[in-house]
Amino acid sequence: GIIVSSFTWLSERVGGIGIGIIVAMIIGLAIFVNIRKTMNDQKPFDDLARYVFNNRLHPDEDRKINSKLARSNFHRAALIRNLQIIRDSIDIALSSKKRDTAESRMNLLLERFEEIKKEQSALISFEVFDEISNVIQKTSIEFNTKLYYNITVGYIEKAESLKTKKSKEKYLDLAKDILDEGIEKGKGNGEELKRVLLMVEQAKTKSETYGT
């Protein structure tokens, strides 16, 4: 009754147009307050997303962040978890000397980034998403060189750990074959792979000549 009588009194004073203006002002104020609240809340989360993406965290810190977010915002927690997986996968994909491990990690990080693009990009600012996208693109290019380089290093290290000439040459041949594959496919930095191939061929020649 109080609300109705107050509305009637106000309507008599300002008319229908006035009521419409007041309602519009109230709605506008509510929207403004909500936007300010969102902006104030967005920056800390953007900073957290950057921190998680740019640093490979200790598992305990990972769990602490996930646990805290899961209680307050499930969708944000899912995004942060994807960023953690991508960060770990980048480091492993670019450093592993095992082909299966490197390739599976590269595929995983691309899958999680695709999920972020389709379902979670609105949770972070455009600037943060752009930073993440640029790193993924750079990683994809670098991976094609690192894959063959790291496998080659693994074979060379194995060759150096062996004593017999035949065993050494076996792994040097494997190193040469993997570099030939990388150069032939042309996906990585061809000049870098050719430089490493020359070193392998020199090591193989030395082994054949001197038996060392």
Side-chain angles (χ1 to χ4, degrees):
I2 294 173
I3 293 174
V4 172
S5 60
S6 298
F7 181 81
T8 302
W9 177 84
L10 185 62
S11 179
E12 291 173 351
R13 296 295 185 278
V14 300
I17 295 176
I19 290 292
I21 293 172
I22 292 172
V23 170
M25 290 175 63
I26 293 173
I27 293 173
L29 179 61
I31 293 173
F32 174 76
V33 170
N34 185 61
I35 291 174
R36 286 295 300 271
K37 182 178 182 297
T38 301
M39 290 176 63
N40 291 337
D41 185 49
Q42 186 63 49
K43 187 180 184 307
F45 183 68
D46 281 346
D47 291 342
L48 175 63
R50 280 192 177 101
Y51 174 70
V52 169
F53 183 70
N54 292 321
N55 298 277
R56 194 172 181 187
L57 308 181
H58 188 279
D60 289 343
E61 188 175 5
D62 275 350
R63 285 192 291 270
K64 183 178 180 181
I65 292 172
N66 290 330
S67 177
K68 182 177 179 180
L69 269 179
R71 292 193 296 268
S72 60
N73 192 313
F74 172 80
H75 298 292
R76 284 185 168 183
L79 169 61
I80 291 298
R81 183 57 187 153
N82 276 339
L83 293 177
Q84 290 167 341
I85 292 171
I86 289 174
R87 176 72 268 163
D88 286 349
S89 296
I90 288 174
D91 293 341
I92 294 172
L94 296 182
S95 63
S96 178
K97 297 169 186 174
K98 296 181 178 180
R99 184 168 195 160
D100 289 348
T101 300
E103 289 180 334
S104 64
R105 280 295 186 154
M106 189 66 206
N107 290 334
L108 176 61
L109 76 89
L110 292 176
E111 288 171 4
R112 292 307 175 102
F113 180 61
E114 192 65 26
E115 182 178 332
I116 290 175
K117 282 200 300 183
K118 290 181 178 179
E119 302 175 13
Q120 301 169 334
S121 59
L123 299 174
I124 48 179
S125 67
F126 173 79
E127 290 77 14
V128 175
F129 177 78
D130 195 45
E131 290 173 20
I132 294 169
S133 180
N134 288 337
V135 172
I136 298 297
Q137 184 178 12
K138 180 181 176 183
T139 300
S140 298
I141 296 171
E142 188 178 358
F143 174 75
N144 291 315
T145 301
K146 286 287 190 178
L147 173 67
Y148 297 108
Y149 177 80
N150 291 331
I151 295 172
T152 298
V153 170
Y155 285 143
I156 292 174
E157 289 175 348
K158 181 66 175 179
E160 291 176 346
S161 70
L162 299 171
K163 295 181 179 180
T164 67
K165 175 184 174 182
K166 184 177 180 180
S167 298
K168 286 178 180 291
E169 290 181 355
K170 172 187 174 181
Y171 283 95
L172 290 174
D173 283 337
L174 289 173
K176 182 179 180 302
D177 290 344
I178 198 68
L179 288 168
D180 284 338
E181 177 189 327
I183 294 168
E184 182 181 344
K185 288 187 175 181
K187 291 185 176 180
N189 185 326
E191 292 303 314
E192 176 65 15
L193 295 180
K194 287 177 182 177
R195 183 186 67 81
V196 180
L197 177 60
L198 179 60
M199 293 172 57
V200 171
E201 289 174 339
Q202 289 173 344
K204 191 170 185 298
T205 299
K206 180 180 177 182
S207 175
E208 291 171 347
T209 302
Y210 301 103
T212 60

